[in-house]
Amino acid sequence: MEQLLLHLRNLGFTEMESKIMVELATKGQASGYEVAKQLGVSRSNVYAALQRLTQQGYVRCGEGEPARYSVLDPEELATMISGRVQASLAYMESEMPRGGPVSPSFYNVEGDRNVTGALIRQLNLAAQEIVVDVWREEASLLRSELEQAELRGVKLLWAFDGGNAASAPYPVWPPLDGKPQRSGGRKFSFVIDRSWCMLGMRYEDGTAQAVVTEHPVLVELLLNHFTQEMVLFELEEDMGPELQKRYGERYGRIYSKYVLHDQDEAGEEQAE
């Protein structure tokens, strides 16, 4: 019941109107007095809401004294609401003023539902290219939208991390203050049509955080990171044994020389 009321409110009905419509649908028909008594609210509020609903065509008012009201069948109600929503959306899209240029900004998105919703909306708008760098778990959540994008002719470029047990390909930069970082998260990034990007983290408890922007600097950084990842992957696939033979343990230290440099310096100071 609460979910139904929530969705009715999302469609633009007030809480009172939503409750009245559900009550009428349950009873078949009822007088304003009966509805007010059942809901435990004032008759004046119920009659005011019934008048609005009747004028809008969602509720019918029968002849007689007292007047008895009934709500449209669910199919008829859905058709009417859908038609009006589509008409309003079309009018808004054509008539909404388009102002001057807006400087690119960054904004945060909190919560798995909000992150996923923002991402799905943008994936559905993709026209040419989607660059994806995700773990397989996150990719599976967006499988339908990504498949639909491919069917529209959108080019998909993928970079996958395997699973939770997979080790990081490069050493992780440790925090300078020594405080432990929140663990159990999986990073993801999306670049859509080389103009919109999302960079975020999804945690094992289902929570998520992300930064969204159209700023060209971050878009370029993510694209460059994707390119470097794929080039290194190809090189290691083709030359893995040769790299190991030529560099040995030093190959791994090439990364740690930069990532763990502060720890090395601290160790040298202690040695002195």
Side-chain angles (χ1 to χ4, degrees):
M1 178 68 74
E2 287 301 320
Q3 284 295 312
L4 176 57
L5 292 174
L6 172 63
H7 284 288
L8 285 170
R9 292 197 297 273
N10 288 342
L11 290 169
F13 296 102
T14 67
E15 183 172 358
M16 176 68 72
E17 290 169 346
S18 301
K19 289 181 177 179
I20 289 172
M21 291 168 70
V22 173
E23 178 64 21
L24 290 175
T26 303
K27 291 292 196 314
Q29 61 178 5
S31 66
Y33 170 78
E34 291 170 336
V35 172
K37 183 177 180 181
Q38 182 63 34
L39 296 180
V41 295
S42 71
R43 281 182 289 175
S44 60
N45 289 341
V46 168
Y47 279 114
L50 282 169
Q51 185 177 13
R52 290 195 302 271
L53 291 170
T54 302
Q55 290 172 346
Q56 293 167 354
Y58 299 121
V59 166
R60 298 187 181 100
C61 178
E63 298 292 335
E65 188 63 38
R68 301 182 68 77
Y69 298 86
S70 61
V71 69
L72 300 181
D73 291 336
E75 296 80 11
E76 191 176 358
L77 188 63
T79 300
M80 179 180 289
I81 294 172
S82 177
R84 291 180 176 179
V85 168
Q86 291 302 320
S88 295
L89 287 173
Y91 185 84
M92 179 275 296
E93 186 176 0
S94 65
E95 299 299 325
M96 178 68 76
R98 289 171 169 80
V102 178
S103 300
S105 61
F106 298 82
Y107 64 92
N108 296 320
V109 183
E110 299 278 346
D112 186 57
R113 181 178 178 181
N114 293 333
V115 169
T116 303
L119 189 50
I120 286 175
R121 286 193 295 273
Q122 203 65 34
L123 289 173
N124 290 335
L125 294 174
Q128 294 177 292
E129 179 187 85
I130 300 173
V131 177
V132 186
D133 189 352
V134 294
W135 289 68
R136 294 190 184 277
E137 288 88 340
E138 279 59 56
S140 65
L141 297 175
L142 300 162
R143 178 177 177 179
S144 175
E145 287 73 23
L146 293 171
E147 287 179 345
Q148 289 299 315
E150 279 193 303
L151 291 174
R152 295 197 308 271
V154 177
K155 182 179 181 180
L156 264 65
L157 300 174
W158 298 85
F160 275 121
D161 279 324
N164 293 333
S167 59
Y170 316 122
V172 177
W173 288 72
L176 291 175
D177 55 10
K179 295 179 181 178
Q181 295 175 321
R182 184 177 178 182
S183 60
R186 296 189 292 269
K187 300 182 185 71
F188 61 87
S189 68
F190 288 79
V191 181
I192 298 178
D193 291 336
R194 302 187 189 180
S195 60
W196 181 97
C197 67
M198 174 184 282
L199 175 64
M201 178 84 81
R202 190 167 184 269
Y203 298 97
E204 292 298 331
D205 61 4
T207 60
Q209 297 172 307
V211 174
V212 175
T213 185
E214 295 182 10
H215 199 292
V217 171
L218 188 54
V219 170
E220 184 179 356
L221 282 173
L222 289 178
L223 288 174
N224 287 341
H225 173 74
F226 178 85
T227 302
Q228 292 165 7
E229 246 190 2
M230 300 317 300
V231 169
L232 284 172
F233 174 79
E234 293 283 352
L235 288 173
E236 290 176 352
E237 285 288 300
D238 291 342
M239 303 174 60
E242 184 178 340
L243 288 171
Q244 186 64 33
K245 180 180 178 181
R246 180 170 181 178
Y247 290 98
E249 293 181 359
R250 185 171 178 275
Y251 182 56
R253 291 202 298 270
I254 292 175
Y255 293 112
S256 61
K257 179 172 65 173
Y258 301 101
V259 176
L260 305 176
H261 66 94
D262 54 311
Q263 295 184 5
D264 294 339
E265 292 171 359
E268 290 174 4
E269 290 177 1
Q270 291 179 358
E272 293 175 359

